[in-house]
């Protein structure tokens, strides 16, 4: 297979991952944190696809499908938690959940 | 009739059980009847047993009730052993006991706690009988400790007063020190001879042990320690004067007539063992001689009438112990018997005086009571004369003269011991007639309550007075001749020379004369001597019993309390507490990382991951 | 089979008692009393028929049951009771009875669950006394602790949580050590013979000289010494005893401490004869030290229950001394001392509970002069106290005398210092009486004395103490064959072949 060298694909995945991570760490709005988490997951998925393309193997795409389902499940749980958080604290600020401090 | 022997200790014990279980439901009369009746009945049975015993072939009678414990080759029974020695003890304990219990009925009238009193007294009599009748040393030890417990309970009879409780505990504790030694002695005997059976021991000890070797000396010394504790001899004499905190009849029965002479009985019982340990036997004589002198001087310094009698008891037991040490076994037991009569009498008479004077104990505040309390006076006088051993007319004279003679003539004794006894005899007459003169003669200081004394109190005093005067006629030493070895007299056995008898008779008269001069005549050179500086300086020393209490306070009591205070919070708990503190600190430290901020957790996650990756890549 | 039925009865009884609470709070108590009565009849029946049984080199077994459990590792349901086990089981049941009755004093909430825990603790203790498989033994060892910890934590006094936690940590820590030691022993045996087995009798018959023997033994000894307890591993005991409810204290002092003593007698010297002999002088020294240390500490306390707790430490020192002196006399003494301590200390804890219930405090500085108001309670306390100080005629004296006798054979000095402990016992026991009942009464008006029914129940304990003190021979006869067998096994010179040739 020819085309873009793998490093480009992996570089993009890494950039996306870091962006997502920064989003999680920096944003306080829990919805944006969830979005950033999605970005990170997808970055990992991209890396799988790129690697699969490089080795001509379908496993990469299989892994991406798994990540998709995991992400869907995670979003479902995450949104439910966000909703509860909003109900109880009246905000979507993640730090408002500090009451859980041990 | 000898077969009834087991009833002798059992009857008082049953009395105790009935009083214990019967609860407060029994009326006062019934309590008194059971208390006195059980002991009196026991005395009656004892007399029957004695009659039966006299008609018996052989020197002794044994009654085994049941096997107490048997393991690993050692066994001890609950069993009784009657021979002339225990017979004398049994009769004295039950007889004097019954009289004193009868007296108690009058003494305690109007006093609460009669059930407790009679329960403890009957238990005491039962334990004392076990002590003297036991056929093995372990069962003897049961009685030995039992009388100690009852002594504790009765000294502390008026428990609301903390001082009485302290005196009671002191008595138990000090005697227990001796008891622990005694128990070790028993352990030693079992470990090396394999038995505690008294008759068997008498046979086996001389076979297994050579005289003067380590084991018999150690065993005899340990037994002596027990005897010293129980009989209030040096250096464990400190508890007896304080024990006077108990009611007077208790002092009469326990702390004069019976329990305190248990040590004498023990040594006499184990005479075979002491024959194997001559060094210890010499120590016995020395302890007796020292104690009798020290206690007689201390008695002279007392002003509490009961403490005079207490020190006098210590001194008289000193005579007995000295006699034992000199090998005059029979004389010691004879003196035990006469002492039981006259000392119980003195205590009962003194108790009556104290009762009628509203708990006045101080002889300096008494006086002129001879006419007011004639029975007390007569009783006290008879007792005092017998204690002082006024010649011919008193029982005490016979027993004490016998001791003096045998001690002087014995190869184990000697002049030094006789001298101690002789000085003691003068002092005895001096201190007891000092009490007589101060209490009953001279001007009246405190008026007695005019209430008539009950016959229950007067009767025993009269009976004991008769015994104290004529009891010397009971030929006890002759009875014991087959049981206890004869004293090792230097010359031919027989009566002392006339000169000796005259000197012995003169000693108490000398004391009496001095007392008369000092406390009735109040004139002459002696009065000046008594008022001198040296005497004034010596008086507090004598009053304090030569300061043993203070010494022990410093040597044992205070260090014990200091130790208890230091260890109170249990230093062994420190390591565990330290560990707990450490984990608590760790918990506080780590808790700080749990901020509750989700983004902080995410950041630490990412950071940790990065660090792990870096570690993996770089290394 | 009786043993299995007995344990089953206690376990089932616990569940039923818990369930019975829904019918009313009096039900669990009645159920527990019934269960204990049946159990008492069962063990006494076992004792009366004591002659029959299986004889192995490990001892004559009065009752013996064996069934497979996990054969892969040689683990079996193996129960057996010889004289030693039997008297301790009887003690367990009697004190369990006393505890059920004493529970009435201060357990008023969650009565059903309390009796469940109580009966399960007792079941665990019976299991410990009769298990002949080390794995099974360990299971019961642990099973008995958890309900006990719950009893302290849920129904205890002011500082119950801390005390329960301390109890759990000490006992679980030592339990871990015990388990490690058991595994080490089993592995060592496997290495020797290629046979997986946790069976006590098989391990007994093996030649007890593996490398690291001393360490395995130390594991056992420390685990049991914590339970006994031995100074300086005793510090859980005063807290646990003091904070536990009355019934808990009774079972704790009367039964649980005895599992430590039982373990020492059953598992240490017989399994590791040589190593045990190396250890004996140190253990005896610690025993003597414990006797004296416990006595001093007991005197120093002002809390009634704490005083009694430290007196336990002192008494258990005699047990330790007796076990490691390892003569028939001293072992007999240790067993009698365990029984006597169970009865006398159990009685004292019941007295403490009654006093606390009446006066709302255990602080003896606020007692004093109570005799005037409660002569019956005072008299009973006095009897238990003089039993504790070793008055002849009551049970403790027999134990102490025999221990001294056996110890004297090994070490005169140990016996002499142990005898000093008898003086110490007088000091603390009389201090207890003085501070509580004697002296001037101060401000405790309106206290009730015991009613005759309670006196009657407590009189049973007194009678047992007196019976054991005046006629201990039946107990001595019951335990003698078992202890003799264990002593033979503890002889270092014994040849493994000799034991093996007798077969099992």
């Amino acid at each position: 297979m020819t085309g873009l060298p793998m490093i480009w694909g992996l570089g993009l995945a890494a950039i996306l991952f870091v962006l997502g991570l920064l989003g999680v760490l920096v944003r306080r709005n829990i919805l944006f944190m969830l979005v950033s988490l999605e970005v990170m997951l997808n970055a990992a998925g991209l890396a799988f696809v790129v690697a699969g393309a490089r080795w001509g193997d379908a496993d990469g795409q299989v892994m991406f499908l798994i990540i998709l389902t995991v992400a869907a499940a995670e979003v479902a749980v995450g949104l439910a938690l966000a909703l509860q958080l909003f109900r109880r604290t009246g905000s979507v600020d993640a730090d408002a959940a500090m009451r859980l401090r041990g | 009739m000898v077969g009834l022997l087991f009833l002798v200790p059992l009857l008082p014990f049953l009395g105790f059980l009935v009083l214990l279980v019967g609860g407060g439901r029994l009326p006062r009369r019934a309590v008194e009847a059971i208390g006195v009746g059980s002991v009196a009945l026991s005395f009656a049975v004892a007399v029957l047993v004695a009659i039966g015993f006299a008609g018996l072939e052989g020197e002794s009678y044994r009654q085994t009730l049941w096997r107490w414990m048997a393991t690993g080759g050692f066994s001890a029974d609950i069993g009784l052993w009657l021979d002339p020695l225990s017979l004398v003890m049994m009769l004295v304990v039950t007889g004097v006991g019954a009289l004193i219990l009868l007296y108690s009925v009058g003494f305690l009238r109007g006093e609460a706690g009669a059930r407790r009193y009679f329960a403890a007294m009957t238990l005491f009599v039962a334990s004392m009988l076990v002590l003297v009748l036991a056929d093995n040393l372990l069962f003897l030890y049961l009685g030995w400790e039992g009388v100690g417990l009852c002594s504790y309970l009765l000294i502390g009879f008026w428990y609301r007063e903390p001082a009485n409780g302290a005196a009671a505990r002191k008595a138990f504790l000090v005697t227990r020190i001796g008891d622990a030694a005694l128990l070790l002695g028993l352990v030693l005997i079992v470990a090396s001879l394999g038995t505690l059976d008294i008759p068997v021991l008498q046979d086996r000890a001389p076979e297994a042990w050579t005289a003067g070797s380590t084991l018999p000396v150690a065993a005899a010394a340990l037994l002596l320690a027990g005897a010293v504790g129980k009989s209030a001899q040096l250096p464990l004499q400190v508890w007896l004067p304080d024990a006077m905190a108990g009611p007077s009849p208790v002092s009469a029965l326990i702390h004069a007539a019976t329990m305190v002479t248990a040590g004498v009985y023990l040594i006499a019982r184990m005479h075979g063992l002491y024959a194997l340990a001559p060094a210890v036997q010499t120590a016995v004589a020395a302890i007796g001689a020292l104690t009798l002198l020290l206690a007689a001087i201390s008695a002279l310094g007392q002003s509490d009438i009961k403490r005079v009698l207490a020190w006098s008891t210590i001194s008289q037991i000193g005579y007995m112990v000295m006699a034992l040490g000199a090998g005059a076994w029979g004389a010691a037991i004879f003196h035990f018997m006469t002492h039981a009569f006259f000392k119980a009498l003195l205590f009962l008479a003194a108790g009556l005086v104290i009762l009628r004077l509203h708990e006045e104990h101080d002889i300096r505040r008494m006086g002129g009571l001879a006419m007011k309390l004639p029975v007390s006076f007569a009783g006290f006088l008879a007792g005092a004369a017998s204690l002082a051993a006024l010649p011919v007319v008193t029982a005490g004279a016979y027993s004490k003269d016998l001791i003096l003679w045998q001690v002087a003539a014995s190869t184990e004794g000697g002049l030094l011991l006789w001298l101690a006894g002789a000085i003691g005899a003068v002092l005895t007459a001096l201190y007891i007639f000092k009490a007589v003169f101060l209490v009953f003669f001279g001007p009246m200081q405190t008026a007695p309550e005019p209430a008539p004394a009950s016959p229950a109190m007067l009767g025993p005093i009269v009976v004991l007075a008769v015994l104290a005067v004529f009891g010397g006629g009971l030929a006890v030493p002759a009875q014991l001749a087959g049981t206890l070895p004869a004293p090792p007299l230097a010359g031919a056995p027989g009566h002392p020379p006339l000169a000796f008898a005259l000197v012995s008779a003169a000693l108490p008269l000398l004391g009496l004369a001095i007392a008369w001069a000092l406390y009735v005549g109040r004139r002459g050179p002696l009065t000046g001597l008594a008022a001198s500086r040296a005497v004034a300086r010596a008086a507090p020393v004598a009053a304090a019993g030569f300061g043993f209490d203070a010494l022990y306070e410093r040597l044992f009591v205070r260090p014990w309390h200091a130790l208890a205070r230091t260890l109170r919070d249990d230093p062994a708990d420190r390591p565990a507490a330290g560990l707990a503190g450490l984990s608590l600190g760790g918990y506080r430290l780590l808790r700080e990382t749990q901020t509750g901020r989700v983004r902080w957790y995410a950041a630490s996650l990412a950071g940790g991951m990065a660090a792990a990756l870096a570690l993996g890549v770089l290394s | 089979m009786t043993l299995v039925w007995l344990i089953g009865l206690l376990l089932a009884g616990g569940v039923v008692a818990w369930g019975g609470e829904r019918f009313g709070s009096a039900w669990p108590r009645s159920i527990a009393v019934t269960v204990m009565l049946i159990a008492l009849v069962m063990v006494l029946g076992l004792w009366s028929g004591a002659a029959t049984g299986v004889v192995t080199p490990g001892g004559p077994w009065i009752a013996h049951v064996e069934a497979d459990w996990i054969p892969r590792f040689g683990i079996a349901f193996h129960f057996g009771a010889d004289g030693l086990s039997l008297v301790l089981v009887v003690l367990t049941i009697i004190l369990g009875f006393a505890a059920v009755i004493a529970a009435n004093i201060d357990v008023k909430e969650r009565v059903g669950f309390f009796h469940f825990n109580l009966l399960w603790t007792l079941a665990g203790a019976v299991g410990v006394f009769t298990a002949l498989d080390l794995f099974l033994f360990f299971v019961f060892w642990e099973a008995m602790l958890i309900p006990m910890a719950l009893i302290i934590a849920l129904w205890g006094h002011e500082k119950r949580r801390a005390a329960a936690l301390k109890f759990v940590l000490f006992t679980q820590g030592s339990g871990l050590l015990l388990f490690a030691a058991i595994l080490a022993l089993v592995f060592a045996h496997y290495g020797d013979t290629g046979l997986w087995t946790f069976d006590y009798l098989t391990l007994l018959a093996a030649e007890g000289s593996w490398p690291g023997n001393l360490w395995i033994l130390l594991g056992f000894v420390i685990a049991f010494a914590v339970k006994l307890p031995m100074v300086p591993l005793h510090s859980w005991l005063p807290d646990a005893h003091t904070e536990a409810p009355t019934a808990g204290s009774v079972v704790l002092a009367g039964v649980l401490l005895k599992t430590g003593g039982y373990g020492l007698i059953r598992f240490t010297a017989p399994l590791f004869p040589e190593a045990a002999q190396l250890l004996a002088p140190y253990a005896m020294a610690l025993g003597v030290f414990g006797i004296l240390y416990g006595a001093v500490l007991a005197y120093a306390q002002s809390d009634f229950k704490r005083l009694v707790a430290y007196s336990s430490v002192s008494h258990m020192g005699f047990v330790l001394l007796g076990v490691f002196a390892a003569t028939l006399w001293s072992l007999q003494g240790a067993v009698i001392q365990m029984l006597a301590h169970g009865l006398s200390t159990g009685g004292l804890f019941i007295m403490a509970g009654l006093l606390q219930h009446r006066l709302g405090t255990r602080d003896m500085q606020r007692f004093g002069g109570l005799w005037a108001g409660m002569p019956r309670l005072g008299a009973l306390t006095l009897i238990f106290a003089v039993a504790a100080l070793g008055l002849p005629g009551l049970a403790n004296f027999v134990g102490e005398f025999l221990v001294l006798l056996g110890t004297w054979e090994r070490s005169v000095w140990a016996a002499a210092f142990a005898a000093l402990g008898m003086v110490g016992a007088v000091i603390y026991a009389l201090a207890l009486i003085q501070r509580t009942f004697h002296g001037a009464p101060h401000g405790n008006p309106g206290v009730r004395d015991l009613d005759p029914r309670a006196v009657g129940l407590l009189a049973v304990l007194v009678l047992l103490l007196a019976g054991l003190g005046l006629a201990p021979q039946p107990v001595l006869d019951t335990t003698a064959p078992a202890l003799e067998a264990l002593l033979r096994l503890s002889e270092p010179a014994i040849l493994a072949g000799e034991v093996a040739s007798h077969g099992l």
Side-chain angles (χ1 to χ4, degrees), chain B residues 78-169:
Chain B
I78 303 284
L80 305 176
W81 169 256
L82 191 67
D83 67 354
L85 174 57
S86 45
L87 187 73
V88 172
M89 299 294 287
M90 174 180 81
L91 288 172
V92 171
V93 169
T94 50
V96 175
L99 287 173
I100 291 173
L101 275 161
L102 182 61
Y103 173 92
S104 306
V105 171
F107 188 83
L108 285 185
R109 186 124 297 158
E111 188 85 55
R115 185 167 72 97
R116 187 159 50 91
Y117 176 87
F118 282 104
M121 281 296 247
T122 44
L123 181 63
F124 169 79
V125 173
S127 307
M128 191 69 208
L129 287 167
V130 164
L131 198 166
V132 299
L133 290 173
D135 75 341
N136 65 77
L137 287 177
L138 199 63
F139 194 36
L140 180 147
Y141 188 77
L142 187 152
W144 187 273
E145 290 287 281
V147 292
L149 172 71
C150 298
S151 155
Y152 160 77
L153 292 174
L154 288 162
I155 295 170
F157 176 68
W158 288 306
Y159 60 86
R160 283 163 200 251
E161 193 62 51
N164 295 351
R169 276 174 296 146

Side-chain angles (χ1 to χ4, degrees), chain C residues 106 156-159 238-239 241-246 249 301-307 349 351-353 355-357 359-367 432 436:
Chain C
D106 48 11
H157 303 307
E158 310 85 42
K159 293 184 222 147
D239 289 329
H241 275 68
T242 309
E243 300 303 330
T246 304
S249 301
Q301 305 306 317
S302 58
D303 183 317
F304 190 110
K305 282 181 97 172
R306 256 187 124 71
L307 191 156
F349 275 125
M351 293 297 133
L355 282 171
Q356 183 171 17
H357 182 64
L359 304 171
T361 178
R362 299 186 304 271
D363 187 353
M364 286 186 288
Q365 284 160 359
R366 291 168 59 193
F367 291 172
L432 178 80
T436 307

Side-chain angles (χ1 to χ4, degrees), chain C residues 185-197 202-203 205-207 210:
Chain C
L185 174 63
V186 169
F187 274 111
H189 182 256
Y190 176 71
D192 243 24
T193 62
L195 182 71
W196 284 115
T197 182
T202 317
L203 291 169
E207 189 181 1
W210 300 287

